[in-house]
Amino acid sequence: MIDLAEARARLGRESVVLPDPVPDHPLLAGKKEIGRGEYSIVLDKGDGERVYKVVSSPADYFLYTAHDRPRGEHFPIIYADHGIIGRASSGYPFHLIEMERLYPLQQDTPAAELAARLIDFYWSACQQWSRLGMDMGRIALYHMTVNPLDISDSLQQALKALSDFVEAYQVLPDILNTNNLMMRKDGTLVFSDPVFLA
C-alpha cells in the first residue's frame, strides 16, 4: 500500500480541511454536518437517502452539474443544483448540491479492496510519469484506460469517462485519497470526489 501522506505531499495536496463555516441558507438550517473535505462540506438532509454538499471547487461543481459529466453506476447521483449560496475564503463561490448519500469505505469489503487496487495502480502510474509534473495524474489515469485492469467493465468504463472528463475540463484527477472513493449501501464503489484544480 502506498504512503498516502507522502504521495499527497509530492502532489502538493497535503491534507487540508475547508476552514469556512457552513453558509447560511434555509435548506441548511438545523442540518447536521457529517463530513468536510478540502473544498466541500457535507450535511445530512435528514431523510437517510440524500445529503446537501456545499462545494467551493469549480472542478467539483463541473463534475456534479455539467451536461456532459460522467454518469453511471460508479458516479454519484445528483438530484438538484440549488445555486450559489455564498463565497468561500478561497474566493470561489459556494454552490449547494443535493446528491445521494454515500458512505466511507469499510475495511475488508470488496469496495475497499477494489479502491486499494485502483489507488495502488494509479500511484504506480503516477510514479512512472512523475517527470511530467502536475500532468502525471492525467497521464496516469489515461494509462489506466488503455491498459485495462482486472476489474468490471462498468468500472473500466467509469475510469474512461473520468479520464475524458479530466481532459475536457482541464482538471486533475485525485483518486489517491480513499475519501474520494466511497460506496453506496449496496457496496458499489463510487468516484465521489475524484477531481481538483491545480
Side-chain angles (χ1 to χ4, degrees):
M1 196 59 150
I2 66 165
D3 180 339
L4 184 58
E6 176 193 342
R8 289 183 64 78
R10 278 193 190 179
L11 292 172
R13 311 278 302 143
E14 294 85 355
S15 185
V16 176
V17 175
L18 185 69
D20 301 86
V22 175
D24 286 330
H25 190 276
L27 290 174
L28 303 180
K31 301 299 183 202
K32 179 183 175 189
E33 183 177 320
I34 58 172
R36 187 176 282 258
E38 197 169 342
Y39 302 105
S40 62
I41 305 167
V42 180
L43 298 104
D44 187 357
K45 184 176 179 185
D47 64 1
E49 300 297 322
R50 298 182 184 192
V51 296
Y52 291 118
K53 188 164 187 177
V54 178
V55 298
S56 64
S57 168
D60 292 343
Y61 183 68
F62 300 152
L63 181 74
Y64 296 145
T65 63
H67 67 89
D68 57 348
R69 70 185 184 269
R71 299 174 198 244
E73 180 182 359
H74 299 287
F75 292 98
I77 297 169
I78 306 303
Y79 295 106
D81 173 2
H82 294 291
I84 295 174
I85 62 166
R87 190 162 295 278
S89 57
S90 65
Y92 288 119
F94 273 134
H95 292 270
L96 180 57
I97 306 297
E98 187 173 337
M99 62 187 285
E100 74 174 305
R101 184 176 185 138
L102 298 170
Y103 298 88
L105 296 170
Q106 298 298 310
Q107 194 170 6
D108 299 323
T109 62
E113 291 169 14
L114 188 53
R117 285 179 49 220
L118 288 177
I119 289 169
D120 283 344
F121 192 90
Y122 178 71
W123 179 238
S124 176
C126 282
Q127 289 177 313
Q128 178 182 348
W129 299 103
S130 63
R131 68 187 178 282
L132 298 177
M134 288 301 289
D135 284 333
M136 73 178 168
R138 290 177 38 240
I139 301 301
L141 181 61
Y142 176 75
H143 179 73
M144 293 170 72
T145 69
V146 296
N147 296 292
L149 309 174
D150 183 20
I151 55 177
S152 69
D153 287 344
S154 65
L155 190 53
Q156 191 66 50
Q157 289 170 4
L159 286 172
K160 171 83 168 75
L162 181 59
S163 181
D164 290 348
F165 177 83
V166 162
E167 290 303 314
Y169 283 83
Q170 291 300 294
V171 295
L172 296 173
D174 186 2
I175 57 173
L176 285 177
N177 187 342
T178 55
N179 293 332
N180 297 339
L181 299 167
M182 299 184 80
M183 59 190 258
R184 293 193 177 96
K185 283 181 185 177
D186 68 3
T188 302
L189 182 67
V190 177
F191 293 105
S192 60
D193 199 8
V195 293
F196 71 102
L197 290 177

